[in-house]
Amino acid sequence: MLTQIIALLIFIALFAIGAVRGVQIGVLMLVGAAGTGLLFTDMAVEDIVAEFPLSIMILLAGVTYFFAIAQENGTVDKIIDWALERVGSSAVLLPVVFFLITGAIAAMGAPLAGLVMMPVGMQVARKYGVDYALMGLAICFAIGAGGFAPTSLYGIVTYSTAHDAGIDLSPFLLFGIAVAVYLVMLAVAYFMYGRSLFSKTTVAASAHASAGAHGGSTQATISRGSASASSVAFGEDDEDEALFDSSTTDEAGDSSPFTVVQILTVVFMVGLIGSVVVLAALGQEPDIGLLCFMFGAILSLVDPKTGKAAIPKIDWPTVLLVGGIITFVGVLQNMGAVDLLGEGAEAIGSPLIAAFVLCIVGGLVSAFASTTGILAALVPLALPLIAAGGVPGWALIAALGVCSAVVDVSPFSTLGATVVATAPVEDKPRLTRILVKFGMSMVVIGPVVLVGGLVVPAMMF
């Protein structure tokens, strides 16, 4: 038992040290997994390396490569333009539009890819009088909702862990739960920070002035102006502040139609999601990473310049993060340390209280660290509690996954920090206060709602 406790303490210590010191946690975990496996078990180096999740590496590399091509060839900007044209002049719909677009991007495999929408969304919010808190929260919620899609990382890590343990958790049910939770949160955000938008029938007065200056009498429409998802603006100056366009023009940067390459990219985006849904309905498990590499390879052949520019944007840091944590968890499982946690859960006495505590821990840690890392670490560690009986596996894993994600609006987490980073200097203190309150409140509210709304009914019926 002593070696298992030492291994768990090493795991926790490496996570904490990496978060506090700003060191790549995945690198620390790989080294820790190797040292722990060789010192405390009879695992060979080959056995330890075999725990590295190659499938997730291919998924993240393929998805981020494909999306980077879509970003480089201007497809993402074109989709934003197309969506904003459909909004017309109703500023109240802007957070919803950015929620939908960001959610679709996050659903393609890499949730944090949706962060490219943050600088664009915040600049559009400035131009049309939308509260930065509402726009920032809408984009954060969309990343969380899209991240739990059957095609995206949060969802894949969560439901694949359940399936490997023999727990019947439908990826579409998990996605539906996440979407429902985030839609409720979006409605709350509208009530708190967007009520004034409902009294606005058109866009900001500057937009009308601009239209009048051009001699036109047509109603002004919303556009992204010079804001672009192809070149993220924040973090490029000495103060790490958002770089906003000071122009007040509302003319779109480019009103030309979709190019052939952009049309082909959109077709591949739809084809990616469609193929996953169809194959999943047929009981198959498509390799999303390989599909993305295939689509990316075709687009690179059509447009070699954007294909080459997309290579440096492959998300290797997340590959290392998830890979290192899962490798260490594999070593812990091999030496029986994870089963030790199950014995601890039984000692609590009440499976429901144990589930509630686990969800609070997931949310609290995730508020200060990577949600991807927390999911990779905590979801496997919840399996002994499920095996101990008394708690429905699908409900607990779904609740734990969503509880670990809903706190991401905290300014200490990646998403919340990006909201603050992309806001004007004078609005940063207010945004930070709002996000601290919102994120920390979800540490408790999330488990109360999800354990109460999922785990308790599943135990009763």
Side-chain angles (χ1 to χ4, degrees):
M1 178 182 290
L2 179 61
T3 56
Q4 287 92 337
I5 293 175
I6 292 173
L8 287 169
L9 291 176
I10 292 173
F11 180 81
I12 295 170
L14 290 177
F15 208 107
I17 291 170
V20 172
R21 296 288 296 166
V23 181
Q24 229 292 344
I25 295 175
V27 173
L28 295 180
M29 288 293 182
L30 284 173
V31 176
T36 302
L38 293 174
L39 288 175
F40 299 116
T41 74
D42 57 357
M43 295 178 72
V45 173
E46 293 80 5
D47 299 327
I48 297 171
V49 172
E51 298 290 344
F52 189 89
L54 288 176
S55 59
I56 290 182
M57 183 186 76
I58 293 173
L59 166 73
L60 286 171
V63 167
T64 52
Y65 176 60
F66 172 57
F67 178 75
I69 292 177
Q71 189 182 0
E72 286 290 329
N73 66 24
T75 302
V76 176
D77 283 338
K78 283 295 183 184
I79 292 173
I80 296 172
D81 290 338
W82 177 86
L84 292 180
E85 287 175 4
R86 299 305 180 275
V87 172
S89 60
S90 180
V92 70
L93 296 178
L94 281 175
V96 174
V97 170
F98 276 86
F99 178 89
L100 294 174
I101 298 174
T102 307
I105 292 172
M108 289 181 203
L112 293 187
L115 284 177
V116 300
M117 294 295 293
M118 195 71 75
V120 181
M122 298 299 267
Q123 182 159 316
V124 169
R126 177 185 65 84
K127 291 173 66 178
Y128 298 109
V130 178
D131 194 311
Y132 292 118
L134 176 57
M135 181 62 80
L137 288 171
I139 294 175
C140 289
F141 297 160
I143 291 173
F148 280 100
T151 54
S152 198
L153 183 63
Y154 295 171
I156 290 171
V157 170
T158 305
Y159 74 72
S160 62
T161 302
H163 287 184
D164 291 344
I167 298 169
D168 186 20
L169 173 61
S170 166
F172 295 100
L173 174 62
L174 175 64
F175 182 43
I177 291 169
V179 170
V181 169
Y182 280 109
L183 284 176
V184 171
M185 292 173 68
L186 181 61
V188 171
Y190 257 104
F191 176 78
M192 296 176 68
Y193 309 112
R195 282 175 292 179
S196 62
L197 292 175
F198 290 92
S199 62
K200 297 180 181 180
T201 56
T202 57
V203 297
S206 60
H208 290 283
S210 175
H214 286 83
S217 57
T218 8
Q219 189 181 49
T221 57
I222 291 173
S223 75
R224 62 181 170 87
S226 65
S228 173
S230 299
S231 53
V232 176
F234 68 93
E236 293 183 0
D237 70 345
D238 294 336
E239 301 298 326
D240 194 33
E241 306 289 356
L243 300 183
F244 287 103
D245 174 26
S246 60
S247 170
T248 57
T249 179
D250 289 280
E251 296 296 327
D254 184 7
S255 58
S256 60
F258 281 77
T259 65
V260 174
V261 174
Q262 290 167 346
I263 292 173
L264 184 61
T265 305
V266 172
V267 170
F268 285 159
M269 287 178 173
V270 175
L272 173 65
I273 297 175
S275 61
V276 171
V277 171
V278 171
L279 290 174
L282 297 175
Q284 304 296 317
E285 293 186 4
D287 193 307
I288 299 168
L290 287 179
L291 282 174
C292 287
F293 271 124
M294 179 185 72
F295 294 148
I298 296 172
L299 291 171
S300 295
L301 290 172
V302 176
D303 186 1
K305 182 179 178 181
T306 56
K308 184 178 180 180
I311 293 292
K313 293 188 175 184
I314 293 176
D315 193 5
W316 295 117
T318 303
V319 172
L320 276 174
L321 173 67
V322 177
I325 290 174
I326 291 180
T327 301
F328 204 140
V329 169
V331 173
L332 293 175
Q333 289 174 327
N334 186 276
M335 65 189 299
V338 176
D339 294 332
L340 192 64
L341 294 176
E343 297 174 8
E346 290 181 357
I348 293 178
S350 169
L352 187 61
I353 294 176
F356 183 73
V357 170
L358 188 62
C359 288
I360 285 184
V361 170
L364 183 62
V365 178
S366 184
F368 297 90
S370 164
T371 297
T372 305
I374 294 302
L375 288 174
L378 282 186
V379 173
L381 299 183
L383 298 180
L385 176 60
I386 297 168
V391 179
W394 70 267
L396 175 57
I397 289 182
L400 176 59
V402 178
C403 282
S404 299
V406 293
V407 299
D408 268 0
V409 297
S410 158
F412 311 111
S413 184
T414 304
L415 301 189
T418 307
V419 175
V420 177
T422 50
V425 178
E426 62 272 16
D427 288 279
K428 289 181 184 292
R430 172 179 174 266
L431 271 179
T432 301
R433 290 193 300 270
I434 289 173
L435 296 179
V436 166
K437 293 177 182 177
F438 210 107
M440 293 300 100
S441 67
M442 294 309 300
V443 172
V444 177
I445 295 174
V448 168
V449 172
L450 287 159
V451 173
L454 285 180
V455 178
V456 172
M459 292 174 68
M460 295 174 60
F461 301 103

